[in-house]
Amino acid sequence: MALTLILYKKNMRNKVALVVGSSGITGSNLAKELINAGWETFGLARKPNTDIEGLKPISADLLEMESLRAGLKDIKPTHIFITTWMRQDTESENIRVNALMVRNLLDVLSAKGSVEHVALVTGLKHYLGPFEAYAKEGFLPETPVRESHPRLDIENFYYAQEDEVYAAATRDRFSWSIHRPHTVIGKAIGNAMNMGTTLAAYASICKETGRKFIWPGSEAQWNGISDLTDARVLAKHLIWAATTDAAKNQAFNVVNGEVFRWSRLWFRLADYFGIEAVGFEMHIKPLEKEMAGDAAIWAEIAKKYQLKETELSRLSSAWHTDLDLGRPIEVMTDMGKSRKMGFQVYQDTEETFFELFDELRASHLIP
């Protein structure tokens, strides 16, 4: 095993990774995985992550060409991992802005002639529709969702991002991979899609105030079969696809590899915090509404336990958790394509949550 790792790291010496969105859940976990595997790794963000040992930060704005040219002036990346997006008020604006971010990046890198592979992280909105029509009547796919499902006949910024990658790949002759995780769980602060940390903050508030841990989602999600994606699994999947010839120029679903029901897991999460859970009762009870007045409570909790983050909004993205848990259908993902090509990583979902909660406590982010 040690010899295999040494040989692998030796093979990676000429590989230069650029992680775009290195401060997020996916990007930060990917950067750690790349560095551990021996890659020279740069992390690009408007506010780069400087907490990861070995990560070389690049401060740049994807919407500003001159900012990108300046930030990328002295590097020639071989592998690009795009793990970021910017939420806008409408899907048409999501398309314009997020496609432009990808286009600008690949246009600036085109002149260098160094890029061998580009990996783009999107998600299940590829199958469920954008925020404006998310998992609503008329946009409900057959489950489990498969990569072979056609695009929906509706605007979707994921499609626009993909098309930018395809166009640049044709122009510059690099390979690509598209990765569609489902509800990424991992440590990150200030992230717009952060169910794991959101639920940790909510449960901590419930414990401190004596409130019940109330299920915020739909009956279909409560009783149906689900899966999700540990950020560490996604990181391994991204590197696997970028270094496996058979996986190049392919789109993949990527999840933990097991299924669960929230009707069991919800009570298991409550047990971890020692609080009382309430399951689905007649109708959806949005978490955003439940936590609407909790900012001041969190500030008091943070002061009491000397936590590092006093702003609840930096830990909680209740609106996005409501989107995930409020779907009117069960959502599970077929991983057969990756399995057939050799990706065999598996992660227990309960352990995904418990290990995240342990890490948040050790980092003094929750009490």
Side-chain angles (χ1 to χ4, degrees):
M1 180 65 72
L3 178 60
T4 300
L5 181 59
I6 291 170
L7 291 173
Y8 182 74
K9 287 189 174 184
K10 183 178 180 181
N11 291 335
M12 292 303 107
R13 284 178 183 170
N14 296 323
K15 302 299 184 185
V16 181
L18 175 63
V19 179
V20 183
S22 57
S23 297
I25 294 176
T26 299
S28 59
N29 281 275
L30 172 60
K32 293 174 185 176
E33 190 74 22
L34 286 163
I35 292 165
N36 288 339
W39 292 59
E40 182 179 11
T41 306
F42 293 85
L44 186 151
R46 283 176 295 177
K47 296 180 180 179
N49 193 328
T50 58
D51 297 331
I52 299 174
E53 184 177 355
L55 180 63
K56 301 176 180 180
I58 297 173
S59 177
D61 187 338
L62 290 166
L63 295 175
E64 298 291 339
M65 292 290 280
E66 290 307 313
S67 173
L68 279 170
R69 289 192 184 100
L72 298 171
K73 179 182 177 182
D74 297 323
I75 71 165
K76 290 186 175 181
T78 58
H79 291 68
I80 314 302
F81 300 91
I82 304 173
T83 72
T84 190
W85 68 290
M86 291 179 63
R87 188 187 184 196
Q88 306 299 309
D89 291 337
T90 65
E91 192 60 19
S92 61
E93 274 298 289
N94 276 330
I95 290 170
R96 184 187 69 81
V97 170
N98 289 284
L100 181 61
M101 289 163 56
V102 175
R103 188 186 322 133
N104 286 348
L105 174 71
L106 298 182
D107 282 354
V108 168
L109 292 172
S110 178
K112 295 176 179 289
S114 63
V115 178
E116 300 174 12
H117 185 86
V118 172
L120 172 68
V121 178
T122 60
L124 287 203
K125 288 191 291 297
H126 185 93
Y127 308 110
L128 302 177
F131 291 123
E132 295 173 4
Y134 190 57
K136 294 181 180 178
E137 194 66 35
F139 302 104
L140 303 182
E142 177 187 38
T143 58
V145 294
R146 303 175 188 274
E147 296 94 339
S148 58
H149 285 189
R151 288 183 175 185
L152 300 172
D153 187 19
I154 187 173
E155 289 186 325
N156 191 321
F157 81 86
Y158 283 171
Y159 305 162
Q161 287 184 310
E162 286 184 358
D163 289 342
E164 294 294 341
V165 171
Y166 300 153
T170 299
R171 178 190 67 201
D172 298 333
R173 299 186 178 182
F174 56 70
S175 60
W176 53 265
S177 57
I178 308 297
H179 303 257
R180 299 169 185 158
H182 173 191
T183 310
V184 179
I185 305 297
K187 181 188 173 187
I189 308 304
N191 192 275
M193 299 188 291
N194 198 342
M195 179 192 285
T197 307
T198 296
L199 293 182
Y202 174 46
S204 298
I205 291 169
C206 288
K207 185 175 181 65
E208 189 69 18
T209 62
R211 283 157 47 183
K212 295 180 180 179
F213 190 58
I214 299 172
W215 168 253
S218 69
E219 182 177 14
Q221 281 287 291
W222 179 252
N223 292 317
I225 295 175
S226 293
D227 52 19
L228 50 76
T229 310
D230 189 305
R232 298 166 297 182
V233 173
L234 178 53
K236 288 179 171 62
H237 193 267
L238 283 157
I239 298 172
W240 166 78
T243 56
T244 302
D245 286 342
K248 292 176 181 178
N249 303 327
Q250 300 282 338
F252 296 101
N253 296 327
V254 49
V255 287
N256 282 354
E258 54 108 53
V259 296
F260 65 92
R261 296 184 194 276
W262 280 107
S263 56
R264 178 182 187 277
L265 182 59
W266 192 251
F267 291 98
R268 295 284 292 144
L269 300 185
D271 288 345
Y272 177 96
F273 288 94
I275 55 180
E276 182 181 352
V278 176
F280 179 80
E281 293 183 337
M282 302 301 290
H283 59 84
I284 291 175
K285 300 174 182 177
L287 187 59
E288 189 171 25
K289 182 178 179 180
E290 175 69 16
M291 298 182 71
D294 286 344
I297 294 173
W298 184 261
E300 293 175 3
I301 292 173
K303 181 178 180 181
K304 178 179 178 180
Y305 295 99
Q306 297 182 315
L307 303 181
K308 290 183 178 179
E309 186 54 65
T310 60
E311 294 185 29
L312 182 60
S313 61
R314 295 271 297 158
L315 297 171
S316 171
S317 53
W319 67 272
H320 195 269
T321 296
D322 284 337
L323 280 175
D324 281 343
L325 299 182
R327 303 179 186 115
I329 56 170
E330 68 175 14
V331 180
M332 57 183 297
T333 306
D334 180 71
M335 273 282 285
K337 186 175 181 180
S338 292
R339 298 297 188 227
K340 289 177 182 177
M341 292 185 178
F343 184 77
Q344 300 299 326
V345 175
Y346 169 91
Q347 171 66 36
D348 181 272
T349 295
E350 285 189 10
E351 292 177 3
T352 287
F353 278 103
F354 297 159
E355 288 167 7
L356 171 63
F357 298 159
D358 289 344
E359 185 177 8
L360 293 174
R361 277 183 170 165
S363 300
H364 302 289
L365 291 167
I366 62 172

